[in-house]
Amino acid sequence: MTALHEPSTATGTADQAARHLWMHFARMGGRGPENPIPVITRGEGVHIWDDRGRRILDGLAGLFVVQVGHGRRELAEVAARQASELAYFPVWGYTTPAAAQLAERLAHLAPGDLNRVFFTTGGGEAVESAWKVAKQYFKLVGKPAKHKVISRAVAYHGTPHGALAITGLPKMKQDFEPLAPGGFRVPNTNLYRRPEFADDPEGFGRWAADRIEEAILFEGPDTVAAVVLEPVQNSGGSIPPPPGYFARVREICDRYDVLLVSDEVINAFGRQGAPFACTKFGFVPDMITCAKGMTSGYSPLGALIASDRVMEPFLRPGVTFPHGYTWGGHPVSAAVALANLDLMEREGLYDRVLANEGAFEATLRTLLDLPIVGDVRGDGYFWAVELVKDKTTRETFDPEERERLVRGFLPGALFEAGLYCRPDDRGDVVVQLAPPLIAGQAEFDEIAAILRHVFQEAEKIV
């Protein structure tokens, strides 16, 4: 074991990481000089640089996070000022100016009467908090049997045990079972995989929403506490909602007294061209979960935003919500978030996304002439290209082909070609694109050119 602060005997950062760093969602075996861990050393604007000095286009905004781009010195300076004034104090019965100001700011940005903000340090914690709020809420209002949560197939909602129980990805859960009981799944809104509705997207929206009502009735309305949905579903490949879908879901939740949670950990803060995507898609949820773009990644922060209706029983005499996080509402993160939101508004990034989303889509759709490209879908600055084995039948790849393509070829080939993005097969095989919101047509063209070259090579191996 290396003593604290003792210089490492490793030959470089990649070697240090191979010896000591436990990476997230990554295979750890076989790392070493022959297969080094990529080392990212700095970022500026829409680009990152590795330790070999190569410039790479950040086509995923880090992890759907860096809305305003890398290297924004003003955000670093805000963090330094706040840390020098008050680096830390909890919101466990206390507040700081930054936390109070940010809570007010988020309440003003959120739709309807979503006026109460519970801070976390990330998105999974926000989803975990939403389920706990829903359970306690119904106990406080005299409906203690309502505890179940309905979410969608393939949807990812986080890694804590509660959030993982809401997640609709069986392979992500199997190693950690048994999980918290009470999570149930309904079909998602991937129109490409429901070709019978190709000419009737509104009908598809009604069909998909009605599956939620069906699940509520099957489980029993007196047992279902919440429905948790992303406005644009991440896993499965940037799946947008069909027309009328959320209006119907809202109607169903109201009918059966079920709380509607809009999981906007990725979708919020401009990714879809609005502070909150639920506003863009025309519905007001009972709770919003958010994180990522709130600070553009310059400091970790997440939040649950609840409506006045949800908050009311928690304001009754003697009631406590026995839940919290040491770093929730951290004053440095809150100060950075305020500055980040100022910057986004000052530079018109919400409007920029709305103005450019059609061009981004059109540029990606030029790839549809490739035999391996089956679908292009998404919204705002959040898109996915679905790869298929047979374009006519929409046949996807078998497990061996997925291994070769998604883990063996695409990540390295894309990175070597100068593009960081996300090949994924948690649903069907997709490559996701979500660049910083400062990106424009030049970046769209570069993304498409690199994808075209790499996809043509991918066709040869599958």
Side-chain angles (χ1 to χ4, degrees):
M1 180 180 294
T2 303
L4 187 64
H5 303 313
E6 180 182 316
S8 172
T9 58
T11 57
T13 302
D15 195 14
Q16 289 175 323
R19 291 170 182 267
H20 301 295
L21 177 64
W22 196 331
M23 295 185 295
H24 298 200
F25 286 98
R27 294 181 177 182
M28 300 297 298
R31 291 293 191 175
E34 300 300 317
N35 184 27
I37 296 169
V39 178
I40 307 304
T41 59
R42 70 183 183 95
E44 182 178 340
V46 297
H47 293 97
I48 53 176
W49 278 259
D50 71 4
D51 59 347
R52 290 192 277 166
R54 295 182 304 169
R55 190 181 78 161
I56 298 129
L57 177 59
D58 183 356
L60 204 67
L63 194 62
F64 316 105
V65 170
V66 190
Q67 315 295 63
V68 301
H70 299 276
R72 304 302 292 256
R73 184 172 295 275
E74 58 264 52
L75 298 185
E77 291 172 347
V78 165
R81 284 197 301 271
Q82 179 62 55
S84 64
E85 183 174 306
L86 178 66
Y88 174 73
F89 207 79
V91 292
W92 295 42
Y94 298 83
T95 191
T96 64
Q101 292 165 22
L102 181 58
E104 182 181 52
R105 180 77 164 272
L106 295 177
H108 288 164
L109 290 173
D113 67 342
L114 277 79
N115 290 316
R116 189 69 63 150
V117 179
F118 182 93
F119 286 117
T120 68
T121 55
E125 291 176 356
V127 172
E128 191 87 0
S129 302
W131 194 0
K132 293 179 77 172
V133 165
K135 287 181 176 181
Q136 189 177 358
Y137 168 82
F138 281 113
K139 287 178 172 60
L140 291 171
V141 300
K143 297 182 178 182
K146 291 176 79 71
H147 69 282
K148 298 174 184 176
V149 177
I150 293 169
S151 59
R152 294 186 292 203
V154 192
Y156 172 78
H157 294 286
T159 55
H161 265 63
L164 193 55
I166 298 172
T167 289
L169 295 160
K171 288 184 179 180
M172 284 192 61
K173 300 190 285 187
Q174 60 191 15
D175 289 335
F176 310 109
E177 293 174 331
L179 299 174
F184 298 88
R185 242 63 58 202
V186 295
N188 61 45
T189 61
N190 187 350
L191 182 59
Y192 180 69
R193 290 296 167 186
R194 302 298 304 220
E196 67 272 25
F197 288 105
D199 297 325
D200 186 15
E202 289 188 13
F204 178 51
R206 289 192 301 273
W207 176 88
D210 286 348
R211 303 289 71 75
I212 294 174
E213 181 176 37
E214 187 178 79
I216 292 171
L217 292 172
F218 182 81
E219 292 300 324
D222 59 339
T223 72
V224 179
V227 170
V228 179
L229 306 172
E230 298 164 280
V232 180
Q233 182 174 315
N234 171 32
S235 289
S238 305
I239 305 171
Y245 173 76
F246 275 109
R248 175 72 176 129
V249 172
R250 179 73 269 181
E251 177 186 303
I252 290 166
C253 288
D254 289 342
R255 178 179 302 162
Y256 299 107
D257 193 18
V258 173
L259 299 178
L260 176 56
V261 180
S262 185
D263 183 357
E264 304 204 18
V265 171
I266 289 176
N267 291 176
F269 307 112
R271 184 56 52 190
Q272 316 309 143
F276 294 104
C278 56
T279 304
K280 182 177 186 180
F281 294 112
F283 71 101
V284 178
D286 299 291
M287 289 185 272
I288 294 172
T289 56
C290 56
K292 294 188 184 288
M294 192 191 314
T295 66
S296 283
Y298 285 74
S299 194
L301 189 63
L304 159 69
I305 309 173
S307 68
D308 290 342
R309 171 203 170 194
V310 170
M311 190 67 204
E312 185 277 326
F314 292 92
L315 297 176
R316 295 172 186 173
V319 174
T320 298
F321 181 42
H323 177 64
Y325 299 100
T326 298
W327 307 113
H330 193 288
V332 173
S333 296
V336 170
L338 286 164
N340 177 63
L341 294 173
D342 285 343
L343 194 159
M344 292 178 69
E345 291 178 4
R346 187 169 67 249
E347 297 189 356
L349 294 186
Y350 300 131
D351 290 339
R352 178 181 179 84
V353 170
L354 295 177
N356 287 334
E357 63 179 341
F360 195 10
E361 176 183 9
T363 305
L364 292 175
R365 285 194 174 278
T366 63
L367 300 169
L368 285 167
D369 66 327
L370 296 174
I372 199 172
V373 175
D375 190 32
V376 172
R377 57 178 175 264
D379 180 88
Y381 271 35
F382 186 36
W383 290 86
V385 179
E386 181 169 339
L387 306 182
V388 293
K389 186 175 180 178
D390 187 307
K391 196 161 184 167
T392 302
T393 64
R394 306 189 183 190
E395 179 186 359
T396 191
F397 302 96
D398 64 34
E400 181 181 337
E401 291 164 335
R402 287 176 178 231
E403 179 71 21
R404 225 166 43 238
L405 186 63
V406 178
R407 279 162 286 279
F409 175 72
L410 285 173
L414 288 164
F415 194 77
E416 288 294 322
L419 176 63
Y420 165 70
C421 57
R422 188 183 206 181
D424 189 20
D425 69 340
R426 288 177 294 179
D428 295 302
V429 176
V430 298
V431 173
Q432 284 186 289
L433 294 310
L437 308 188
I438 60 173
Q441 189 61 54
E443 288 75 33
F444 304 158
D445 290 340
E446 185 178 354
I447 287 170
I450 293 173
L451 291 177
R452 176 173 293 276
H453 167 71
V454 173
F455 290 165
Q456 287 172 334
E457 294 300 310
E459 290 171 359
K460 300 174 184 178
I461 71 168
V462 295

